[in-house]
Amino acid sequence: MGLNRRTAMQAGLLTTAMSALRLNSAHPQGTSTPPPITVQGEAAVRTNIPVVRDRRASGGSYLALTTKKKPPKEGWYAAYAIRAPEAGVYALTAVATSPVETPHTEATASYLQLALNEGGFAEVARSQPYWYESEPAWGGLSVLDLGELELRRGENTLTFRVTEPTVLETGTAYALALDRFTLRRREGVELREVRAGGDGTLSTYRYGEPASLTLGLNGRPDRPYRVRYTVVDYFGERVAEGYATIEPGDGTAVKAPLPQLPPGNYRVAASAADASDAEAVVGHFACLSALPATSGDANRFGVNVWATSLVPPSRLDAFAAAMRDMGAGWIRDGQAWPAAEPSPGAYDTEHHDQVTRALRKHGLSPLEVMSPAPEWAMTAASLPLPADLRHAYRYARRLASGGRPAAVQLSNEPDVDVTSSTGDAHAAFVKAAALGIADAPDRPLVVLPGIAQAGHFQELMLANDVVRYADVWAFHGYPDPAEQDEPAFPGAAEEQRELAGRLGAGEVPRWMTECGAFFGVRPGIDLTPAQQAVQARYLVRSMVEGLAAGNTRQFWFAGPPLHDDGVYFGLLSREFQPLPAYSACAALTSLLGEAHFVGPVNGLPTGVVGFEFDSGRGESVRVLWAAKPVRIPVPGATVHDIMGRQMATASAEVTVSRDPVYVVTATAARPKAHPTPPHRLSLSPAEHIVLSQRYPARNAAPNKDNGDAEPPLGYRLSRRTRMSLDVYNFTSISRTVTVKARPAGGWSARAEGPTQVEVPPQGRMTVDFTITAGSGVQRRTDHRLQFTATLDGDEVPPSVSLVQLK
């Protein structure tokens, strides 16, 4: 189905939206190209954005907007008069701030909207890779590609506008810096857009629905423009081809009907009829199974989105619908704590709450991740955690209130950040934040931090008895980045299952809140077709093997287009179109249903791997793959390929290869068991007391070196070191707590005051200690230093650290 002009603007599709703004014909043949038109940002004929002087700016000044004030009815805007020497298509670039972070700057701005002459505004809704690959200009500004416009000869008015806030380091604000912009004449008109599906979608539709290709130009042709197109499926088979013509006066796009296609992922190559294949524009679309994925608590599948950073506002609804249609019941997202609480107790969550509501509207359950603390809450010794854990308690309680998230994860990969924070410090933070969530009405699930890799940091955090504060155990798992051909699923799931069992926490649900693979790409291009196939296969295998290892939920990283340091992660292309892995995920979630793992499939030929699941619909679903093609019998079964298409099974056999297949047979219905646990936390007054060790910055543990540091990893102490034990009381009445130090390995501890303290409600008291190394303590060797406490005879969860003699 095609896009009308209004729908195109709402969908945020720049090339199509801009066609609504073009008012004249293409450049006549045989004439020279006019010189570029450059306009200074401060040269607006009308604006309500301040002008700032800066010698680095090309004209000595530039437009600079940074304000928390809501925009007036017309938005924050700047209108410019542009005199075009001739009519035609012009490429627009600007030296301005990008709406996403780039390798050369963390400065960001609001998403821009543009309007040309009498046309309406359309958002420049490009994906993160476009912005990420922008060249640096000066300061926090980049050279941005803003697409193409069709100018009329003579006077034109181009208006830049901001109506949506962005997240800055210290809060949410409306922001834009614009030094200058340049318009360069294009020769003729060119094909720019290829898409399929219904209006407002990201090139997806369900099997049985009518569908068309939309083929769009960057301007209006002055003579018939004939387009040739070819459609191939995931396996490279040509399934449709044809020609379409855009007549003068018919706008800039044409629709070409598609035949009824089976579920799958399709690649479209389109070009001018007289152009070479090398000039083709490539697009992707997905035909999804008519059977949607399981919804609600029974859904085991999630996807990382980071919507505020990676999804332009005008695309949010279509994106959320696409994730739901892909079968993701959960999305993992998060807001910046510094932006949400720019000063103590002053909350500004409206922007993020709006995003969360949009995701929830489409049936997605948000997993909110707590970010590092604001600068005002930290000290050099506490980074990246608040020095006073009451801030963590209050912020987590605020975050959990009002039904915003369905679950809250208490930080992301603290074991591999670039700070010196330790497992014991993070455990105290986890306890305080978990108590804040537990004390919120209608609280969400409490999810432990997403651990990047099993090791010293996690083991120390767990030794502090944090599991009792959580509903869910969490971790991440990625294959070796060097494995580009057929990555192997990592052993993280088995490691975490063994670790949980060793600690007696085997019944706590385990979520792999990040899984994905690293695919190297060059700037300006998507994954190659071969990489797309590897990504699709790995997504299925990783999800299946994770569930088979006992994970309750699996979250893919990531859903939106995402290019980071030469690696591509997204399930959508740079044009927000579905890659094969998207369709593979849709097939997986549709066919597995509730995905209750039954066990490995036995009796398979050598080299074939298989796992059996109960779909919850009275079906057994076996997922099979093999390194080399193997024929296996499938009597009485229905077989689907990796894309969800039903396969012909001649002689009741099917070929199993690297692309997984699904073998579905009817079975007796089994009792249903939903993966989401009940809210089981019922914490005692003693568990509301949190102990936290605090050391001067000079005694900080060594930097974790992104998770690669070797022991000793403990606080670096002298022969005699003063430190403090903070005792927090997160109850509503005053509590009397008695603390005790339990050093090991030749260390001793002496309290510098009473060890019994009266802690006020929601208060903190501090007991100072001197820690002394005995004569037999060896340097650079980790030893445990444990503090315990009692409250009315009940044991308080301990604080356990590592210390070394430096």
Side-chain angles (χ1 to χ4, degrees):
M1 298 180 181
L3 285 174
N4 60 36
R5 291 177 180 176
R6 181 178 178 185
T7 305
M9 291 181 195
Q10 292 171 339
L13 300 168
L14 178 63
T15 54
T16 304
M18 287 306 174
S19 70
L21 308 177
R22 297 170 184 133
L23 300 174
N24 217 322
S25 61
H27 180 249
Q29 299 295 316
T31 59
S32 61
T33 302
I37 304 168
T38 296
V39 180
Q40 300 299 325
E42 65 273 19
V45 293
R46 297 184 306 279
T47 186
N48 56 10
I49 299 176
V51 174
V52 174
R53 292 184 175 275
D54 194 309
R55 68 182 66 183
R56 296 172 297 177
S58 61
S61 301
Y62 69 104
L63 284 189
L65 173 70
T66 305
T67 181
K68 293 182 178 295
K69 184 179 178 182
K70 289 188 179 296
K73 183 178 180 181
E74 64 272 22
W76 300 112
Y77 75 94
Y80 298 89
I82 299 167
R83 185 171 185 82
E86 55 188 52
V89 176
Y90 288 75
L92 174 63
T93 60
V95 174
T97 36
S98 164
V100 305
E101 290 185 8
T102 66
H104 54 271
T105 179
E106 295 181 356
T108 59
S110 301
Y111 276 89
L112 267 175
Q113 298 174 353
L114 299 178
L116 181 63
N117 297 324
E118 295 81 19
F121 282 95
E123 185 177 81
V124 186
R126 314 201 87 169
S127 64
Q128 181 265 359
Y130 280 105
W131 308 115
Y132 182 84
E133 295 161 3
S134 301
E135 294 295 323
W138 58 269
L141 280 66
S142 306
V143 182
L144 305 180
D145 178 356
L146 300 182
E148 295 171 322
L149 303 172
E150 192 172 19
L151 302 182
R152 61 192 176 195
R153 183 178 180 182
E155 295 298 327
N156 295 264
T157 300
L158 177 61
T159 305
F160 293 71
R161 186 175 75 169
V162 164
T163 62
E164 293 281 347
T166 188
V167 178
L168 304 178
E169 289 184 2
T170 56
T172 302
Y174 300 86
L176 172 67
L178 175 62
D179 179 8
R180 64 183 185 275
F181 63 89
T182 300
L183 292 151
R184 292 179 174 83
R185 179 72 165 87
R186 296 287 199 196
E187 279 294 334
V189 296
E190 296 177 351
L191 189 66
R192 282 288 187 262
E193 181 197 21
V194 179
R195 66 186 304 273
D199 291 351
T201 73
L202 301 184
S203 283
T204 66
Y205 64 97
R206 290 214 175 269
Y207 176 71
E209 295 177 353
S212 301
L213 292 177
T214 298
L215 308 166
L217 305 178
N218 62 352
R220 293 181 301 170
D222 56 4
R223 62 181 185 277
Y225 192 105
R226 197 163 187 237
V227 181
R228 180 182 73 231
Y229 64 88
T230 303
V231 182
V232 299
D233 66 12
Y234 170 79
F235 302 98
E237 180 181 349
R238 184 174 298 183
V239 297
E241 59 185 335
Y243 291 86
T245 301
I246 303 172
E247 299 286 352
D250 284 352
T252 63
V254 65
K255 293 187 295 185
L258 285 168
Q260 181 162 303
L261 299 170
N265 192 270
Y266 298 90
R267 183 175 185 268
V268 187
S271 61
D274 56 356
S276 68
D277 291 341
E279 299 175 81
V281 175
V282 174
H284 299 267
F285 67 91
C287 176
L288 306 176
S289 168
L291 177 66
T294 297
S295 60
D297 289 344
N299 186 289
R300 296 178 182 269
F301 303 100
V303 63
N304 286 262
V305 300
W306 309 114
T308 301
S309 300
L310 301 178
V311 182
S314 64
R315 292 191 187 269
L316 185 59
D317 268 339
F319 173 81
M323 294 299 101
R324 175 205 61 207
D325 291 344
M326 185 186 73
W330 287 73
I331 55 94
R332 185 168 179 257
D333 201 40
Q335 68 179 324
W337 184 355
E341 192 180 7
S343 60
Y347 295 104
D348 179 11
T349 64
E350 180 182 353
H351 179 56
H352 185 73
D353 290 346
Q354 186 176 357
V355 172
T356 301
R357 285 193 296 270
L359 296 169
R360 275 198 172 277
K361 182 179 71 175
H362 290 277
L364 299 167
S365 297
L367 168 59
E368 178 81 18
V369 182
M370 284 187 68
S371 79
E375 186 175 345
W376 57 258
M378 295 187 294
T379 64
S382 74
L383 185 78
L385 305 172
D388 187 336
L389 295 182
R390 288 172 292 184
H391 294 309
Y393 173 92
R394 288 190 286 262
Y395 176 65
R397 183 169 182 173
R398 166 76 184 204
L399 196 63
S401 300
R404 296 177 179 92
V408 177
Q409 188 165 33
L410 304 179
S411 78
N412 180 62
E413 298 191 348
D415 55 322
V416 295
D417 66 24
V418 294
T419 73
S420 297
S421 66
T422 57
D424 65 288
H426 212 81
F429 164 79
V430 165
K431 294 172 185 176
L435 288 167
I437 296 168
D439 289 348
D442 300 321
R443 73 167 183 85
L445 296 172
V446 176
V447 183
L448 287 176
I451 293 295
Q453 57 197 39
H456 304 286
F457 186 97
Q458 184 187 19
E459 296 235 10
L460 183 58
M461 187 182 74
L462 295 171
N464 281 263
D465 208 0
V466 294
V467 177
R468 69 169 71 191
Y469 289 86
D471 299 294
V472 177
W473 180 299
F475 63 97
H476 298 164
Y478 289 89
D480 186 340
E483 296 179 356
Q484 292 284 302
D485 294 333
E486 293 294 334
F489 186 64
E494 293 291 350
E495 291 173 354
Q496 295 292 324
R497 179 166 67 178
E498 186 277 330
L499 179 58
R502 179 155 45 92
L503 295 179
E507 297 303 314
V508 178
R510 294 185 300 282
W511 293 5
M512 183 179 271
T513 52
E514 284 187 26
C515 68
F518 303 87
F519 294 105
V521 294
R522 298 193 308 274
I525 63 171
D526 281 322
L527 299 176
T528 66
Q531 287 176 311
Q532 292 171 20
V534 174
Q535 185 193 42
R537 291 193 287 267
Y538 183 76
L539 182 143
V540 175
R541 294 200 310 267
S542 64
M543 291 287 188
V544 167
E545 293 193 56
L547 293 175
N551 296 342
T552 305
R553 284 200 169 88
Q554 293 277 127
F555 289 75
W556 179 263
F557 188 90
L562 176 57
H563 181 193
D564 184 22
D565 195 22
V567 176
Y568 197 89
F569 292 101
L571 298 176
L572 303 177
S573 74
R574 298 163 61 89
E575 304 302 331
F576 276 94
Q577 295 180 344
L579 295 175
Y582 173 95
S583 296
C585 187
L588 172 84
T589 58
S590 171
L591 290 165
L592 287 193
E594 294 182 4
H596 303 294
F597 179 58
V598 176
V601 179
N602 298 317
L604 295 172
T606 301
V608 180
V609 179
F611 299 92
E612 182 182 359
F613 293 86
D614 173 15
S615 71
R617 298 186 292 251
E619 297 168 328
S620 164
V621 183
R622 289 172 288 163
V623 190
L624 309 174
W625 63 84
K628 296 180 180 179
V630 178
R631 295 284 292 177
I632 66 168
V634 288
T638 303
V639 182
H640 299 261
D641 65 24
I642 185 175
M643 295 287 115
R645 178 183 61 179
Q646 186 170 335
M647 301 171 66
T649 53
S651 304
E653 287 189 335
V654 68
T655 299
V656 177
S657 66
R658 291 183 301 173
D659 287 318
V661 298
Y662 302 87
V663 180
V664 184
T665 55
T667 62
R670 301 173 187 243
K672 293 187 177 182
H674 292 169
T676 300
H679 287 186
R680 60 175 181 79
L681 293 186
S682 178
L683 298 170
S684 68
E687 290 168 320
H688 277 72
I689 304 299
V690 176
L691 307 180
S692 178
Q693 300 180 42
R694 183 159 46 88
Y695 295 82
R698 64 179 177 274
N699 299 124
N703 188 279
K704 292 188 286 290
D705 193 22
N706 203 30
D708 294 327
E710 293 294 328
L713 301 172
Y715 296 106
R716 291 172 290 192
L717 307 187
S718 304
R719 287 283 177 184
R720 291 169 57 86
T721 303
R722 292 287 296 268
M723 56 81 65
S724 300
L725 180 71
D726 290 334
V727 184
Y728 292 89
N729 170 20
F730 291 111
T731 74
S732 59
I733 63 173
S734 182
R735 302 286 182 176
T736 301
V737 180
T738 303
V739 301
K740 184 175 183 179
R742 298 181 182 275
W747 291 86
S748 63
R750 186 184 76 249
E752 300 298 331
T755 56
Q756 186 177 80
V757 291
E758 185 80 12
V759 190
Q762 299 293 314
R764 177 183 68 177
M765 297 296 289
T766 300
V767 181
D768 293 323
F769 284 86
T770 297
I771 311 299
T772 303
S775 59
V777 173
Q778 295 184 346
R779 294 185 183 277
R780 295 184 55 75
T781 302
D782 283 329
H783 291 285
R784 284 198 172 195
L785 174 57
Q786 177 173 308
F787 288 88
T788 61
T790 56
L791 171 64
D792 298 330
D794 292 334
E795 292 290 331
V796 170
S799 172
V800 183
S801 70
L802 294 177
V803 296
Q804 60 167 300
L805 180 61
K806 63 182 178 181

